[in-house]
């Protein structure tokens, strides 16, 4: 009688652990990064740098830089 109870407990535990492990693996797979890869991030960075360089080489870039300098000076000089 004891052997049957032990066997049943072991089988139940094995099924439970197997189900738990499969569930964990599925959740881990679901959490993988589905977004951009490293190459795409580099491409985005290069694009942003190209835009900033293009803007800084125009009159608009100069105007933006001057406004930033004015605001920074205002902050550093106590809002004067």
């Amino acid at each position: 009688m004891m052997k049957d109870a032990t066997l049943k407990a072991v089988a139940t535990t094995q099924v439970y652990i197997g189900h738990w492990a499969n569930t964990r693996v599925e959740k881990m797979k679901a959490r993988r990064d589905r977004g951009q890869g490293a190459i795409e991030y580099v491409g985005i960075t290069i694009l942003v740098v190209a835009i900033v360089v293009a803007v800084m080489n125009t009159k608009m870039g100069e105007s933006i830089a001057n406004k930033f300098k004015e605001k920074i000076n205002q902050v550093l000089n106590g809002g004067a």
Side-chain angles (χ1 to χ4, degrees), residues 8-70:
K8 187 175 181 179
V10 168
T12 303
T13 302
Q14 186 177 9
V15 168
Y16 176 79
I17 289 174
H19 178 70
W20 176 83
N22 289 337
T23 303
R24 291 282 70 178
V25 168
E26 287 175 19
K27 285 187 179 185
M28 287 171 63
K29 285 180 182 177
R31 289 182 60 185
R32 287 192 179 150
D33 185 16
R34 296 183 200 150
Q36 283 75 21
I39 300 298
E40 291 166 321
Y41 285 120
V42 170
I44 291 169
T45 303
I46 290 170
L47 179 63
V48 169
V49 168
I51 291 170
V52 168
V53 167
V55 168
M56 293 308 289
N57 288 328
T58 63
K59 295 284 185 191
M60 186 173 72
E62 233 177 87
S63 174
I64 293 170
N66 288 336
K67 291 293 182 186
F68 273 116
K69 287 177 188 175
E70 287 175 20

